[in-house]
Amino acid sequence: MPLNLLYAVFIFNAIVILGSAICSVTARNLIHAALWMVLSFFSIAILFVFMGIGFFAVIQITIYIGAIAVLILFAIMLTRRSMQEQEDKRLKNVWVALLAVGGVLTVLVMTLRQIPIFGESISTTQVDEMVPALGKALTEPAQYGLLFELASVLLLAALIGAIYLAFDRKKAEGEEK
Amino acid sequence: MTFWTDPINWVLQILENLLASWGLNHVLSIFIINFLTVVIYCTMILVFVFFLIWLERKLIARMQDRLGPNRVGPWGILQSIPDAIKIFTKEYITPVGVDKVIYNLAPIIVVASVLVVWAIIPVAPRWFAADLNVGVLYIIAVGELGILMVMMAGWSSNNKFALLGAFRTSAQLVSYEIPMALAMLVPVFMARSMSLNTIITNQSVWNIVLAPVAFIIYFLCSLAEVGRAPFDLLEAESEIVAGYHIEYSGLKFGMFFVGDFLHAFTISVLGAVLFLGGWRGPGAEQYPLLGFVYMTVKIILVYMLMMVVRGTLPRLRIDQMMDFTWKVMTPLMMGLLVGMIIIDSLIVGLSPWLRTGAFLAFNVIGAVITLWALGKHTMPKPQEFPLEDLNAS
């Protein structure tokens, strides 16, 4: 009985993920689209809980909902007139978009299938060992340490660049006055 | 297993036996027990908020040389109950053009996002709902949900001022989340674990002794996170009417109100767990109820400190508030964290006393240098304040 119950919850969650993703794409109101996306992210976190990877579930919420969704909402709300519902926001070239998305999906699935453990079930104890191993691999110089640091330097550069852009414009406006 | 050594499991065992004697399925009885536990636990926390509201009103009143609530019950302790009944009977006003679903969902999720933190808080030894090995991260993740709901409430109200209030609130919450998360990293790295249980059991020396600066920063950030004075410019009653929840009335506003108090309480609980040793104290391991008493005393201490600060300090301006987190607390906390990690790797194998001394000395030196630099560079002299500019604009 508990297994069947879990199965039912899983199916329900899967429906929520797909449904909210579809609603996110088709919603007319941009804020609604963003909020549907948040629901979809949240359900994916639940999917991670099902797999027994609490770490990824929490990270999913922190990064995707806490950072990315809030950033998107901020961007939408600060953009002029984007909150008003206009006549037709539907994409003209739906078929081209579908083709592109389908291509990306195929490539992703093909690549993921080549990973040796794809499709195998992993026990919870294995997961508990894998998360620290991931952290060590990311920070160890012999493995991905250099790439990790490069990525952070790139982000720092983007941050400084954004500050510089904002700073310069403010100054120019001040001079005009 | 008796009541004195393991009260929660004792009660659960009795309940389970009772349900089994009624001939219920084992899985179903566990489901019922868990459901009941969650309902009772959450209700108890929410009822405790009534007491906290009374405590705050009474203490602030005493600080301001007033009597405070003193009519209902002894010392007015039941004052919150008629207040709650009154708020129940108020009319719900739904303004024109609100986004109905989001507008009604936001207050519920604001309270829920605070309540779910309680799932991982160890109230006493062997007395917790779940022991997550990513506990601290979980707390941060759940806090993010609160920010999102604030934005939803502000936007769905269909009011410019609510939207502006939501922007200000989320800007403050996002900014103060950074030094707060960094300060929470100090107990994590002291215990080498993110589980709140391990953090408590590893605090043979309280983290407040090892890292007082981290505790102060955590405390100041928590004041800002819950929007309390001196960081209450978001809903400053005397200047703007309210912040993001200006369009809410009746019980929906009450939810935001309760959520605020609950958040303040939860954050002082986390302060007690992360920095004051949680339930630790003489005899607590053996008798969990004693640990519960220690925990309550520590929580109330942190909470009272919050209220004393509220009664003492004037409100900050928004630029001061932003400067304080980005220019003072974030760099200080980053430097402190890196320094403490370096010291920790230098003093491997020293005696606990020397270790504590080294951390404490580093913290004190860091604090003194910061205060000196702040006093020298950022404090404007009184005559330098540009009064003419203010008058001109």
Side-chain angles (χ1 to χ4, degrees), chain B residues 249-282:
Chain B
S249 58
L251 204 57
K252 287 176 201 163
F253 170 74
M255 292 290 263
F256 281 113
F257 191 69
V258 166
D260 262 9
F261 272 92
L262 199 60
H263 199 179
F265 180 51
T266 310
I267 276 209
S268 35
V269 172
L270 289 177
V273 166
L274 293 174
F275 290 96
L276 297 180
W279 42 256
R280 285 186 83 99

Side-chain angles (χ1 to χ4, degrees), chain B residues 70-260:
Chain B
N70 60 354
R71 285 286 177 270
V72 193
W75 314 292
I77 199 166
L78 301 177
Q79 179 64 46
S80 300
I81 296 171
D83 284 352
I85 294 171
K86 181 191 137 211
I87 221 167
F88 262 110
T89 59
K90 283 203 172 181
E91 186 190 356
Y92 292 126
I93 301 168
T94 308
V96 179
V98 298
D99 204 306
K100 285 242 171 59
V101 178
I102 302 176
Y103 176 81
N104 291 321
L105 205 60
I108 298 169
I109 300 187
V110 162
V111 175
S113 74
V114 184
L115 268 182
V116 286
V117 173
W118 283 83
I120 61 162
I121 287 175
V123 187
R126 302 182 288 283
W127 189 346
F128 50 84
D131 184 18
L132 281 190
N133 56 1
V134 285
V136 172
L137 261 181
Y138 172 85
I139 293 165
I140 295 171
V142 163
E144 310 273 3
L145 280 184
I147 299 177
L148 193 72
M149 288 311 123
V150 164
M151 291 186 76
M152 273 171 63
W155 174 77
S156 66
S157 296
N158 192 29
N159 179 330
K160 273 179 208 157
F161 298 104
L163 188 58
L164 279 176
F167 278 150
R168 285 157 56 107
T169 308
S170 41
Q172 173 170 330
L173 295 188
V174 168
S175 311
Y176 277 85
E177 193 114 286
I178 295 164
M180 185 161 157
L182 286 173
M184 283 160 104
L185 270 184
V186 170
V188 168
F189 124 86
M190 289 291 177
R192 302 288 195 276
S193 165
M194 282 200 267
S195 146
L196 291 188
N197 260 319
T198 322
I199 286 177
I200 290 181
T201 44
N202 277 16
Q203 281 184 64
S204 47
V205 183
W206 291 1
N207 280 331
I208 190 174
V209 181
L210 291 173
V213 177
F215 175 72
I216 293 169
I217 289 181
Y218 172 83
F219 181 72
L220 292 175
C221 293
S222 63
L223 285 179
E225 281 286 306
V226 296
R228 291 201 151 223
F231 297 100
D232 62 344
L233 64 155
L234 308 166
E235 39 194 287
E237 290 101 339
S238 50
E239 292 157 22
I240 55 179
V241 181
Y244 57 93
H245 49 53
I246 191 167
E247 291 289 2
Y248 284 88
S249 58
L251 204 57
K252 287 176 201 163
F253 170 74
M255 292 290 263
F256 281 113
F257 191 69
V258 166
D260 262 9

Side-chain angles (χ1 to χ4, degrees), chain B residues 301-338:
Chain B
L301 267 180
V302 179
Y303 194 74
M304 294 259 247
L305 189 60
M306 231 179 225
M307 284 188 282
V308 171
V309 170
R310 182 190 159 183
T312 316
L313 293 177
R315 197 170 286 145
L316 288 176
R317 283 200 319 266
I318 192 158
D319 58 322
Q320 292 171 330
M321 183 267 285
M322 281 294 174
D323 279 359
F324 188 51
T325 172
W326 288 110
K327 293 183 186 166
V328 182
M329 287 211 285
T330 309
L332 172 63
M333 198 57 233
M334 279 179 176
L336 191 78
L337 193 63
V338 172

